């Protein structure tokens, strides 16, 4: 038997309904903030992701699926959504049409990681980008939208963490301070951090194992290295969050996994449901990504959520109530002439908006009744030769357990009336009648 590739999963029909619910919700809330959906390819020329030789993020360095296509071009399955969206933003000169471009996406991403609960090799992200402004107020708006998504989904026990990585000068100074600090404890660093110390010492702050060590307690904090402007900018973001009423925690250890962030970074954590993979989503401001991808010098801010993690948490808290599945009408034709008529009838009923099923396997009458039951059919229609000769059909109402013969010409209206909610008067309507 063939098996799924490691780190992937099938979304089976029962599950896909949850995905559709979540996606519908996301489409709705994004339109409130005037974001447009964008769909970019799942692979891009590798340079879109492998931009800088000194990129230190695991996502770009160690986890991409890279391949040479038959035209000998170097391609990469996208490990994240932002770079492809920015590539498209530049290629389609979206900056020429708008002051601020707001785009969102939902789609698969690929990272060669060690799979575990909430961590896959193919996973899906919902994300959004607001490109074309460096305003700190926009950072606050994006964080508040992120917060509103979680709140509207009613996910409890979450925490919004924010930090500022400052501008390039702030980060360069901070990097230097971190390197000289950690060099004092070089023999106690884990093997990963030994590699990170030169390339990107900020990533040491993320290390789950080193962070537990006592040498971490006096580690320099970014806040003390922010330039006056960067500090001022961060204060404006926080003041705006306060004004909107967003509860957050400033976490100086928050650095995020991708290298392109500057100034504001943030994450939404869930406190229980997901075990160690407790980050539902996160993002931040970027100041050079657009120009790194050979676009104009525009800044932006983006966020990405893991769809699987959102769904896992929503399942955990039983937040998705799916409507009962049913079939309006199960048609059981008996004999060749009836089958021919059935094709025509089913087509008309379906095009008229009714969910219909029938039998294509010549099952017995009893097996068909069982099947209709299994599918939760509200009505069963029996079309035998007698019925056909009289231009009639026998209708069984599965709820009332009654049956009657009606004219075939009246079938559509009969079913439509049965499924149209009856007007039930409210008290003012009753009063009017009295
Ligand atoms: P990132 O692009 O690394 O900032 O991740 C943003 C969000 O995507 C995370 O908070 C997760 O919810 C989700 N995510 C990242 N990597 C994975 C993965 N390998 N499997 C499932 N979800 C992921």
């Amino acid at each position: 038997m063939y098996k799924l590739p490691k780190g992937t999963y099938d979304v089976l029909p029962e599950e896909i309904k949850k995905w559709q619910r979540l996606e519908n919700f996301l489409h709705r809330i994004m339109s409130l903030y005037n974001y447009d959906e964008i769909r970019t390819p799942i692979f891009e020329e590798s340079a879109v992701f492998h931009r800088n030789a000194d990129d230190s993020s695991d996502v770009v360095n160690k986890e991409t699926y890279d391949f040479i296509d038959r035209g000998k071009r170097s391609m990469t399955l996208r490990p994240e959504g932002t770079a492809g969206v920015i590539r498209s933003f530049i290629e389609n000169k979206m900056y020429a049409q708008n002051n601020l471009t707001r785009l969102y996406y939902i789609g698969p991403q690929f990272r060669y990681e060690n799979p575990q609960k909430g961590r896959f090799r193919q996973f899906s992200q919902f994300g959004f980008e607001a490109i074309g402004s460096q305003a700190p107020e926009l950072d606050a708006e994006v964080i508040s939208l992120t917060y509103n998504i979680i709140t509207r989904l009613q996910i409890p026990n979450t925490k919004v963490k924010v930090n500022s990585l400052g501008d390039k000068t702030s980060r360069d100074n901070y990097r230097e301070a971190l390197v000289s600090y950690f060099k004092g404890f070089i023999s106690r660093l884990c093997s990963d951090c030994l590699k990170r110390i030169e390339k990107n010492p900020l990533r040491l702050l993320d290390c789950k194992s080193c962070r537990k060590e006592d040498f971490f307690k006096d580690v320099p904090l970014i806040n003390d290295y922010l330039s006056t402007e960067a500090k001022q900018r961060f204060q404006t973001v926080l003041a705006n969050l306060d004004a909107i009423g967003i509860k957050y925690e400033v976490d100086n250890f928050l650095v995020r996994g991708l290298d392109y962030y500057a100034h504001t970074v943030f994450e939404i954590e869930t406190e229980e449901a997901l075990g160690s993979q407790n980050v539902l989503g996160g993002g931040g401001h970027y100041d050079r990504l657009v120009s790194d991808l050979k676009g104009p010098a525009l800044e932006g801010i983006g966020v990405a959520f893991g769809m699987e993690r959102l769904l896992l948490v929503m399942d955990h808290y039983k937040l998705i109530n799916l409507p009962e599945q049913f079939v309006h009408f199960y048609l059981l034709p008996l004999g060749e002439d009836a089958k021919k008529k059935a094709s025509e009838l089913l087509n008309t009923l379906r095009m008229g908006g009714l969910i219909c099923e029938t039998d294509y396997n010549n099952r017995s009458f009893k097996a068909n009744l069982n099947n209709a039951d299994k599918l939760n059919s509200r009505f069963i229609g029996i079309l035998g030769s007698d019925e056909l000769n009289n231009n009639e059909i026998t209708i069984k109402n599965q709820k009332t357990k009654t049956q009657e013969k009606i004219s075939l010409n009246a079938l559509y209206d009969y079913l439509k009336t049965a499924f149209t909610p009856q007007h039930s008067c409210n008290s003012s309507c009753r009063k009017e009648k009295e």
Side-chain angles (χ1 to χ4, degrees):
M1 194 161 50
Y2 295 111
K3 292 231 167 97
L4 275 170
K6 187 174 169 187
T8 67
Y9 57 88
D10 296 315
V11 188
L12 298 175
E14 194 46 44
E15 282 296 303
I16 203 84
K17 295 199 177 68
K18 298 180 184 170
W19 282 76
Q20 288 165 347
R21 283 235 142 171
L22 178 57
E23 285 164 9
N24 288 341
F25 162 81
L26 294 171
H27 291 307
R28 277 201 309 277
I29 193 154
M30 293 319 286
S31 71
L32 291 181
Y33 283 78
N34 201 30
Y35 280 78
D36 288 317
E37 188 182 357
I38 182 166
R39 300 186 190 185
T40 61
I42 61 162
F43 63 93
E44 297 271 355
E45 108 183 45
S46 295
V48 170
F49 305 109
H50 298 285
R51 290 179 300 275
N52 305 317
D54 61 348
D55 193 313
S56 64
S57 68
D58 284 353
V59 173
V60 172
N61 264 320
K62 294 202 234 153
E63 294 169 0
T64 50
Y65 281 84
D66 302 310
F67 63 97
I68 305 291
D69 75 7
R70 287 167 197 268
K72 308 231 176 332
R73 299 174 200 92
S74 177
M75 296 290 165
T76 297
L77 294 187
R78 63 184 187 198
E80 55 106 15
T82 305
V85 169
I86 302 292
R87 192 267 311 137
S88 173
F89 168 80
I90 298 167
E91 192 169 350
N92 293 294
K93 296 195 174 53
M94 292 186 206
Y95 47 86
Q97 302 143 29
N98 305 301
N99 259 331
L100 180 69
T101 305
R102 296 176 185 266
L103 300 167
Y104 76 97
Y105 56 88
I106 305 175
Q109 314 290 343
F110 304 84
R111 294 182 191 175
Y112 195 79
E113 293 192 88
N114 265 340
Q116 49 189 292
K117 185 178 180 188
R119 186 171 289 284
F120 307 94
R121 289 186 174 171
Q122 176 173 340
F123 60 100
S124 198
Q125 277 184 340
F126 152 66
F128 51 96
E129 312 291 334
I131 317 155
S133 167
Q134 49 73 45
E137 293 81 3
L138 177 62
D139 292 9
E141 185 199 275
V142 164
I143 296 171
S144 71
L145 167 53
T146 309
Y147 175 87
N148 287 342
I149 288 170
I150 296 298
T151 327
R152 286 273 184 108
L153 288 173
Q154 296 176 10
I155 299 175
N157 303 325
T158 56
K159 207 185 267 174
V160 180
K161 288 184 167 179
V162 288
N163 192 20
S164 171
L165 302 177
D167 48 35
K168 190 166 178 319
T169 322
S170 314
R171 275 196 311 283
D172 286 347
N173 292 338
Y174 183 49
R175 258 194 208 107
E176 240 172 69
L178 280 179
V179 172
S180 77
Y181 178 82
F182 283 121
K183 279 199 170 153
F185 303 99
I186 204 98
S187 58
R188 298 171 66 184
L189 295 180
C190 75
S191 57
D192 279 344
C193 285
L194 272 178
K195 281 183 227 144
R196 286 178 187 137
I197 190 162
E198 291 301 340
K199 232 176 169 189
N200 190 352
L202 262 72
R203 303 289 314 164
L204 267 76
L205 301 178
D206 246 6
C207 177
K208 286 204 172 96
S209 81
C210 289
R211 255 176 93 158
K212 288 190 205 123
E213 301 291 332
D214 60 353
F215 68 79
F216 232 84
K217 68 179 183 335
D218 293 322
V219 73
L221 297 177
I222 181 84
N223 198 39
D224 298 325
Y225 292 81
L226 294 182
S227 63
T228 315
E229 295 79 32
K231 229 177 224 170
Q232 180 59 45
R233 190 183 187 285
F234 192 41
Q235 286 313 318
T236 310
V237 174
L238 299 184
N240 270 270
L241 288 177
D242 291 334
I244 306 170
I246 308 294
K247 289 195 200 81
Y248 59 85
E249 187 184 300
V250 174
D251 177 357
N252 275 168
F253 284 84
L254 181 67
V255 290
R256 309 278 305 134
L258 294 151
D259 267 10
Y260 48 66
Y261 292 123
H263 292 292
T264 314
V265 285
F266 61 97
E267 269 181 6
I268 304 245
E269 278 183 8
T270 159
E271 273 169 22
E272 29 184 85
L274 288 178
S276 63
Q277 305 306 317
N278 63 345
V279 183
L280 288 174
H285 182 90
Y286 38 84
D287 54 358
R288 289 154 178 254
L289 182 60
V290 184
S291 52
D292 276 358
L293 280 161
K294 309 204 184 334
L298 291 173
E299 303 191 20
I301 177 164
V303 192
F305 283 93
M307 290 290 282
E308 294 80 2
R309 291 194 196 173
L310 286 176
L311 287 162
L312 275 166
V313 169
M314 291 173 78
D315 259 351
H316 178 87
Y317 291 113
K318 305 204 171 9
L319 298 173
I320 309 184
N321 298 316
L322 293 176
E324 189 190 16
Q325 256 200 290
F326 66 91
V327 162
H328 288 120
F329 183 62
Y330 188 99
L331 181 54
L332 174 50
L334 306 171
E336 287 312 305
D337 290 343
K339 277 187 194 162
K340 220 178 277 162
K341 183 71 186 168
S343 302
E344 177 204 322
L345 272 180
L346 286 168
N347 190 49
T348 311
L349 297 178
R350 284 172 174 148
M351 289 301 98
L354 295 166
I355 307 166
C356 299
E357 248 313 348
T358 187
D359 173 42
Y360 287 117
N361 289 319
N362 292 321
R363 275 178 284 205
S364 70
F365 190 79
K366 190 157 173 261
N368 262 304
L369 294 187
N370 286 340
N371 193 33
D373 253 355
K374 208 171 93 196
L375 294 170
N376 196 11
S377 309
R378 298 290 155 85
F379 288 90
I380 301 177
I382 299 157
L383 194 60
S385 50
D386 280 357
E387 281 96 346
L388 204 54
N389 289 338
N390 297 328
N391 198 36
E392 287 181 335
I393 184 163
T394 302
I395 299 281
K396 279 164 76 77
N397 183 325
Q398 291 294 85
K399 195 168 164 204
T400 59
K401 299 288 172 209
T402 53
Q403 81 174 52
E404 61 182 316
K405 273 197 179 133
I406 62 165
S407 156
L408 263 181
N409 303 338
L411 177 62
Y412 177 73
D413 286 341
Y414 179 94
L415 291 172
K416 218 46 203 181
T417 313
F419 291 111
T420 305
Q422 300 301 307
H423 172 66
S424 60
C425 298
N426 57 26
S427 57
S428 63
C429 177
R430 267 199 301 276
K431 259 187 215 135
E432 248 169 54
K433 275 188 189 163
E434 281 160 17

